[in-house]
Amino acid sequence: MNLPDIIKTFDRVSPAIVAQAAQYQPAILADVAGRRGALHGRITALRPRMKLAGPAFTVEVRPGDNLMIHAAMALAQPGDVLVIDGQGNQTAALMGTIMMTACKQLGLAGVVIDGAVRDSLEIDEMDYPVFSVGTNANGPTKQVGGRIGHPVSVGGVTVYPGDFIIGDGDGVVVVEREKIESLLPLAADKVAAEAKRIAQIKDGKTSAPWLVASLVAAGVLKEGESL
């Protein structure tokens, strides 16, 4: 099966669901997904204000080689997020200004890479969302094959093609394509509950109503004791 045929075999989160889910913070979606799906904290936004959301377009490369990223860019659809397993390598940047400019021009929603990038100042000026393990001035090679449209491991989390990806200054969260729609009502409820709790705190009700019971359950307090 050639590369274009491989890409046709996976489904993506629909644009309508992406638009709805993108309204929520990654932290909210991680909580309602069972406090899971967040990539390792080593993968962060190049600048804290950067945000992205969209279906994953997965790429696996050999450390320090970006040949398959170029192929992925040629095959990805507008709105996709490139999710690249760069093996956590920081000895060479896999992408820089030229590639990021092309990604933006192609309408890709952003890049998440378990590896390094470069030209961070120019990328910042472009205001294009990039999440990586850091930067390195060394350039990559373009000699080694890899895989596109297969499950990858990025930041300790398995990402399948078409999964929902969302990122902000807190990091990146992955939600399975099949689950994201069902989590949206839970996310709305959690946002409302947190807003209510913040309002209570501002009114002076700072004590957490669940704290004593949890301390008793943990054996810190005995039944009948209080703080």
Side-chain angles (χ1 to χ4, degrees):
M1 185 180 294
N2 61 33
L3 284 177
D5 288 337
I6 289 174
I7 304 312
K8 294 175 184 176
T9 63
F10 69 81
D11 295 323
R12 292 168 168 82
V13 179
S14 72
I17 297 301
V18 168
Q20 293 178 56
Q23 301 176 57
Y24 300 105
Q25 295 177 350
I28 293 291
L29 292 173
D31 280 358
V32 298
R35 288 176 168 78
R36 56 181 299 275
L39 305 191
H40 191 284
R42 69 174 181 268
I43 299 178
T44 60
L46 280 183
R47 298 293 183 269
R49 71 174 185 278
M50 291 181 171
K51 298 180 180 180
L52 59 71
F57 192 97
T58 57
V59 191
E60 179 185 319
V61 301
R62 291 292 296 274
D65 193 282
N66 73 358
L67 176 63
M68 297 309 292
I69 302 176
H70 285 276
M73 290 165 58
L75 294 168
Q77 297 181 6
D80 284 347
V81 176
L82 290 186
V83 179
I84 303 163
D85 177 7
Q87 316 295 320
N89 184 273
Q90 291 181 266
T91 63
L94 292 177
M95 301 180 73
T97 303
I98 293 174
M99 295 177 74
M100 296 304 181
T101 300
C103 285
K104 186 173 183 178
Q105 184 68 24
L106 290 165
L108 304 187
V111 174
V112 175
I113 181 168
D114 200 343
V117 299
R118 65 180 180 180
D119 305 327
S120 59
L121 293 179
E122 289 85 353
I123 294 170
D124 180 29
E125 291 172 357
M126 288 167 53
D127 198 23
Y128 188 68
V130 175
F131 293 70
S132 72
V133 298
T135 59
N136 193 297
N138 284 337
T141 59
K142 297 173 175 61
Q143 302 170 344
V144 185
R147 300 202 300 175
I148 292 174
H150 291 263
V152 294
S153 178
V154 177
V157 176
T158 300
V159 184
Y160 288 84
D163 281 350
F164 178 71
I165 308 293
I166 187 166
D168 68 6
D170 289 336
V172 179
V173 170
V174 180
V175 181
E176 294 92 331
R177 177 183 58 80
E178 299 85 356
K179 292 183 178 180
I180 183 62
E181 185 173 6
S182 67
L183 295 180
L184 297 181
L186 300 179
D189 290 344
K190 183 166 181 60
V191 168
E194 290 192 356
K196 180 179 179 181
R197 180 61 188 136
I198 290 170
Q200 292 172 339
I201 291 171
K202 289 180 176 179
D203 284 340
K205 300 175 183 178
T206 57
S207 298
W210 49 265
L211 179 57
V212 170
S214 293
L215 290 172
V216 170
V220 178
L221 296 177
K222 295 180 181 180
E223 287 287 350
E225 290 184 335
S226 61
L227 292 175

